[in-house]
Amino acid sequence: SGHLAQTSAGGTFVRMDVDGFEWKAFESLTDDALAKIDILQVQLYLCRLLPEASPATGRARADELQRRVQLLERLPRTFGVVARAPTQGALFRSSSRSLLCAGDEKDKSVAISFVNLERLRAVRAAKSELADRLERATLPTLTSEACEGLDKDASNGDGALHHWCLKVLQDGVDRKEELNLVGLSYGIATWDDWAKRLAESYVIQTELFDCFATTSNSGATPSLEGWKVPTKRHDVCVSGHEKLDGSRRFEPLAAQLHGRGPRGTLLKMDVEGAEWEALGAVEDEELQKVDLFDLQIYLCGGPLASGGEERARGLRERVQVLERLARIFYVVARAPEKGSLFRGKEDADLCGGGMRYPDTISMSYGTGSVSRRCDTVSPRKAAALVVPVLLMMRLDLDALVLAVVLISRLCRSGRPNEVQTSGPEVLQI
């Protein structure tokens, strides 16, 4: 503690292997002193310098073991465990309290490497702020079980990810006439499996938008014809505002969403970079009308290709767009699916060329309002969880029964961008 008192926060690495005297060292360290350590590597001798095992000293021995465990439990408030040796978990889980420091155990030691969590977060924030935000904004937050299944049949690889939350979709189909249910598809070329699946399997009216592959220049398009519900084609592209570019006409997304009701719109967008301007211009209240949204983003196109400050500013704006979508929708699926392509990356990896980070990412979204669900538990499980507590409150039988019924029907009401987790925090490095 004397040495640490003379140092400032950050830049201190501590290694300790002192044959059992580490416990006195830990006892003398304040929380402020521990917070100055970036990396702590310690060899722990749990059983050294303990009172001898005998009837006369048994209580003192047990108390000292308890104190050492409490000193260890204090460390995770400041540090995360990077590694432990021996690594076999069974060596730690199998011993009972009575066997601690008995026989050969008394000479054993454990090596642990700790890292200061606040310092780790600060380092990651400096190098990986946007990469971490992008990972969180696109991470799936809605399960297939919550959706009562997914329809994936319109998908065709990572570039055409269409995972439809059946709970949302079926609710729309059941109220098709009331909602004036429609599918709007931006970016077509001469085929559209997304719209075809809606028209053929769910008998939903679809409208296709593309000003590059138009009705006049596409020639025969048999893949867009002969559907159970004929589609409507519009020689229009999506943009942030209405404009003409030569013979091509562009309009904002709000041009189609403005007249729609609060429910009943299905949306697909694969427009090779134009999504950023279009999504940046549309209001939240318009996007909230969309029940299902399949989006392919082209992360690195346009101004990001130039590098420098313009690249950094453009990346930040695009991450903000994705964070906004995560506040409005649940993420049902993401492609590429492999999480290691996204986790633990640095901002320099984004749009840096090569295969370090996906340049194109596909997401399937589901509306937040419809996807919220009531997670019921069985009355028996609810009773096992709460009856002991309620009995302590001395409730009568009728009150007990009512409490169990109510608790068994509790609903989860997390926002779309809240990911339900459990257990200790694990930082992805």
Side-chain angles (χ1 to χ4, degrees), residues 134 298-301 304-307 311 314-315 318 346-354 356-360:
L134 181 56
Y298 294 77
L299 183 64
C300 304
L304 271 65
S306 60
R311 171 187 175 275
L315 266 175
R318 293 181 179 187
E346 297 185 358
D347 292 352
D349 295 328
L350 303 179
C351 306
R356 289 182 294 177
Y357 201 91
D359 287 346
T360 59

Side-chain angles (χ1 to χ4, degrees), residues 325-377:
L325 293 178
R327 289 193 294 269
I328 297 172
F329 301 100
Y330 287 98
V331 182
V332 178
R334 175 180 68 183
E337 187 176 357
K338 190 175 181 181
S340 60
L341 293 175
F342 300 91
R343 288 194 305 269
K345 302 299 182 182
E346 297 185 358
D347 292 352
D349 295 328
L350 303 179
C351 306
M355 298 299 292
R356 289 182 294 177
Y357 201 91
D359 287 346
T360 59
I361 306 169
S362 299
M363 274 80 64
S364 288
Y365 294 99
T367 179
S369 60
V370 177
S371 299
R372 292 181 187 174
R373 67 218 188 261
C374 187
D375 280 340
T376 60
V377 297

Side-chain angles (χ1 to χ4, degrees), residues 186-189 191 210 212 238 269-276 295-302 318 360:
Y186 289 89
I188 306 304
W191 70 93
D210 200 314
F212 289 87
V238 70
M269 191 179 294
D270 182 358
V271 289
E272 302 189 21
E275 65 274 5
W276 302 112
L295 170 68
Q296 183 168 27
I297 62 168
Y298 294 77
L299 183 64
C300 304
R318 293 181 179 187
T360 59

Side-chain angles (χ1 to χ4, degrees), residues 114-227:
F114 297 93
V115 63
N116 187 301
L117 290 175
E118 284 302 316
R119 213 84 75 244
L120 177 59
R121 291 188 186 98
V123 170
R124 281 205 60 78
K127 294 184 177 181
S128 306
E129 177 200 356
L130 294 179
D132 287 348
R133 287 169 59 187
L134 181 56
E135 152 69 357
R136 288 192 297 268
T138 60
L139 189 70
T141 54
L142 193 64
T143 65
S144 174
E145 291 77 15
C147 286
E148 298 173 5
L150 301 176
D151 185 332
K152 307 177 184 180
D153 287 352
S155 295
N156 185 15
D158 289 351
L161 179 76
H162 309 312
H163 287 196
W164 299 337
C165 182
L166 283 176
K167 182 177 180 180
V168 177
L169 180 58
Q170 194 58 55
D171 182 75
V173 171
D174 292 343
R175 302 164 57 196
K176 187 185 309 179
E177 302 303 325
E178 172 195 347
L179 300 174
N180 188 24
L181 188 62
V182 67
L184 307 178
S185 182
Y186 289 89
I188 306 304
T190 57
W191 70 93
D192 194 327
D193 293 337
W194 182 88
K196 184 176 182 179
R197 174 84 178 153
L198 291 178
E200 291 281 275
S201 299
Y202 297 96
V203 197
I204 295 173
Q205 177 65 61
T206 59
E207 301 189 27
L208 315 183
F209 299 82
D210 200 314
C211 66
F212 289 87
T214 66
T215 53
S216 60
N217 69 17
S218 296
T221 54
S223 63
L224 299 176
E225 299 165 5
W227 297 354

Side-chain angles (χ1 to χ4, degrees), residues 360-407:
T360 59
I361 306 169
S362 299
M363 274 80 64
S364 288
Y365 294 99
T367 179
S369 60
V370 177
S371 299
R372 292 181 187 174
R373 67 218 188 261
C374 187
D375 280 340
T376 60
V377 297
S378 69
R380 177 180 295 180
K381 185 174 182 180
L385 291 171
V386 302
V387 164
V389 177
L390 297 177
L391 284 172
M392 291 175 63
M393 298 168 64
R394 299 185 178 180
L395 298 181
D396 60 30
L397 181 59
D398 290 340
L400 278 171
V401 172
L402 178 60
V404 169
V405 171
L406 289 175
I407 290 170

